[in-house]
Amino acid sequence: MVLRKRAERRAAERAAEKLAEQRVKLFFASDGGSIDRPLVLESASLVEPRALAQPCPRCGGPLRLLSHDAVAKGASLLRAARTRCSLCASEWTSWFLVERRLPH
Ligand SMILES: [Zn+2]
């Protein structure tokens, strides 16, 4: 009985780990997840709220901002928001490209 419960718990843990891996992969593959695929924003003031709006890809915990830097890439200036999860301490970087719309 005890052994069976332990096996069930291990299976649940493995399933949770697999799910977390998939969420992490999705984070890196989505817009803003890499320097080659920044999320386009209209204002630099949206960078931090956007970076903090999503939960930790690994555990779903709340993220805290570590730094917000401007990074040159070719002719464009990207924004990198580094965050750390308050629960599992994983660190993430969200990439943004600020494109101001020209007034008509
Ligand atoms: Zn976390």
Side-chain angles (χ1 to χ4, degrees):
M1 192 63 187
V2 172
L3 278 175
R4 198 178 145 195
K5 276 208 169 129
R6 204 176 286 164
E8 276 171 13
R9 199 177 59 217
R10 266 205 298 270
E13 279 169 6
R14 271 199 301 272
E17 276 167 25
K18 211 167 180 184
L19 207 65
E21 266 173 41
Q22 284 168 350
R23 279 198 308 261
V24 169
K25 268 189 203 156
L26 195 68
F27 170 82
F28 287 119
S30 63
D31 288 348
S34 75
I35 189 168
D36 294 319
R37 206 171 164 185
L39 187 69
V40 178
L41 296 175
E42 281 180 53
S43 162
S45 66
L46 297 171
V47 168
E48 292 175 20
R50 248 344 252 272
L52 295 174
Q54 65 163 16
C56 171
R58 185 160 287 138
C59 76
L63 299 179
R64 283 186 303 122
L65 190 75
L66 292 180
S67 65
H68 174 183
D69 301 303
V71 179
K73 186 197 175 220
S76 43
L77 199 62
L78 300 178
R79 302 283 182 141
R82 285 181 53 234
T83 52
R84 182 188 286 145
C85 175
S86 301
L87 293 183
C88 74
S90 295
E91 292 186 10
W92 311 96
T93 305
S94 296
W95 295 91
F96 301 95
L97 176 63
V98 178
E99 263 182 9
R100 284 189 186 82
R101 296 236 173 100
L102 295 173
H104 293 291

